[in-house]
Structures are given as structure tokens and as C-alpha cells.
Amino acid sequence: MANTNAPFGFRQYSGNGSAPTYEQVAVQIAYNASNIFFGDPVEPDGTGTVVRGDGTTGAGGIAGIFVGCKYLSVSQKRTVWSNYWPGSDVASSQVVEGYIVNDPNAKFLVQVGTTGLTQAEVNSNIGYDIGTGNTANGLSGAFVTESSLATTSTLPFRVISLVTQPPGAPGTEAGAYNLVIVAFNNVSTKSLTSV
């Protein structure tokens, strides 16, 4: 059965911490930044805050993977805990506290784009596309892009393995939209490495 095109961002697979937090750290989200979905890579923006990654990560790397936030909602008049940041709904004087996973040993489950990866591409560095997030459930639409595979040390992720078990499960078939396990390659808490 062919894999389904249904990206869900970067889902925590393992890390130094334990479920459900996996060593989350708090960060500040840029005021009125674009929305950030659960599982989106986030980047530092040069002012001490983070913004949703755009898939063109350069030498600055990414800050981590977004897993939620809390903020004082203008519309609801209360503190809101959410798995995604809607991009507004706070007064300009308020701080949006985001939570990210930036553990340098973390591994993530993620879908591949239209071509899919093969075993020969394990241990390559890879980039991502931000995709389209889902405002109904707050989940990311990010996925890794096979066209970005390279030895370039500034790419944000490294392919660790293909997902093949259990056989026949969604994403385990070879070809387009298969699933892989990736680790950070270029994150603020880890030195850059080349292939």
C-alpha cells in the first residue's frame, strides 16, 4: 500500500529526558510573529526571540522544535496554554512564552516529501520545508525534503534511519512520503558536523 501524503512536523522520538516533556526549554516568541505549529522547527531571529522556521536555515541553525506555548489572550481575557501559537491575540506589552525541544541528542520522526529516502541516504544531512500547519488541531505540516540531501554542514538535520516497522504501517513503505528518524545537525545547542 502506498504511503499517504500527510506531514505532521517533527514528532519527538527519543531524547535525554522522559515523556511527555523530553527536556523542553522555555523561549520567548517574537511579538506578532507568524503562527507556529506543534512540531515546527523554530529559528532565532536576532533579538533573543524565536520565529517559525522557513526551511532556508543558514549557518545560524535552528533553535529547536516547537511543542507549545502560553500567553495572556486578549480575546479570551485569560492565560491560554496551547500546542500552537496563532501569531497574534496578545497585547504588545505581553510576552509569549514558547516551549521547544533543543536537546542535542533528540531524535524526531518526520515524513519525507514526494520522492522518499532510501537506506543509502542514511547518515546524510537534510533540510526541511515548513508545509502548511493545521489550525484546527495545531499540528505542523513540516516535512524533510529529499532534494536538499547533501554533505553541507549547515543543514539542520541528519538522517539517522528509515522507519520500516511495523511492516505495512503508514509511512513504512519505500518511496514517496515514507517516514524517517532524524537528529539535529545544526541546532543552537550543538556544533555543526559535516558528512
Side-chain angles (χ1 to χ4, degrees):
M1 178 167 65
N3 298 318
T4 303
N5 181 14
F8 48 81
F10 292 80
R11 185 179 300 157
Q12 183 84 40
Y13 182 76
S14 68
N16 284 338
S18 59
T21 61
Y22 287 109
E23 301 293 331
Q24 294 175 24
V25 296
V27 293
Q28 288 188 1
I29 298 173
Y31 171 72
N32 276 348
S34 63
N35 50 13
I36 307 173
F37 295 91
F38 183 93
D40 276 346
V42 292
E43 300 175 357
D45 74 345
T47 65
T49 60
V50 298
V51 295
R52 183 179 184 192
D54 60 8
T56 60
T57 306
I62 59 174
I65 301 297
F66 183 81
V67 291
C69 64
K70 82 171 181 180
Y71 58 93
L72 182 58
S73 168
V74 171
S75 64
Q76 297 180 49
K77 309 282 191 267
R78 65 180 179 88
T79 298
V80 172
W81 294 79
S82 177
N83 69 333
Y84 92 104
W85 164 237
S88 59
D89 195 25
V90 294
S92 60
S93 61
Q94 297 299 312
V95 172
V96 178
E97 184 173 293
Y99 304 101
I100 64 171
V101 174
N102 65 358
D103 170 9
N105 296 314
K107 294 181 176 63
F108 301 91
L109 178 68
V110 64
Q111 188 171 55
V112 184
T114 57
T115 302
L117 296 183
T118 65
Q119 186 63 35
E121 294 160 325
V122 169
N123 294 322
S124 297
N125 294 339
I126 195 165
Y128 68 95
D129 188 315
I130 203 63
T132 303
N134 184 330
T135 57
N137 61 21
L139 297 181
S140 171
F143 57 95
V144 291
T145 54
E146 64 285 341
S147 61
S148 67
L149 279 171
T151 59
T152 310
S153 65
T154 56
L155 286 171
F157 298 99
R158 187 174 192 92
V159 179
I160 301 300
S161 67
L162 302 180
V163 175
T164 58
Q165 297 295 327
T172 60
E173 300 296 320
Y177 313 121
N178 62 342
L179 300 178
V180 294
I181 305 296
V182 298
F184 287 128
N185 182 61
N186 185 3
V187 66
S188 57
T189 55
K190 184 175 184 176
S191 300
L192 303 179
T193 58
S194 61
V195 175

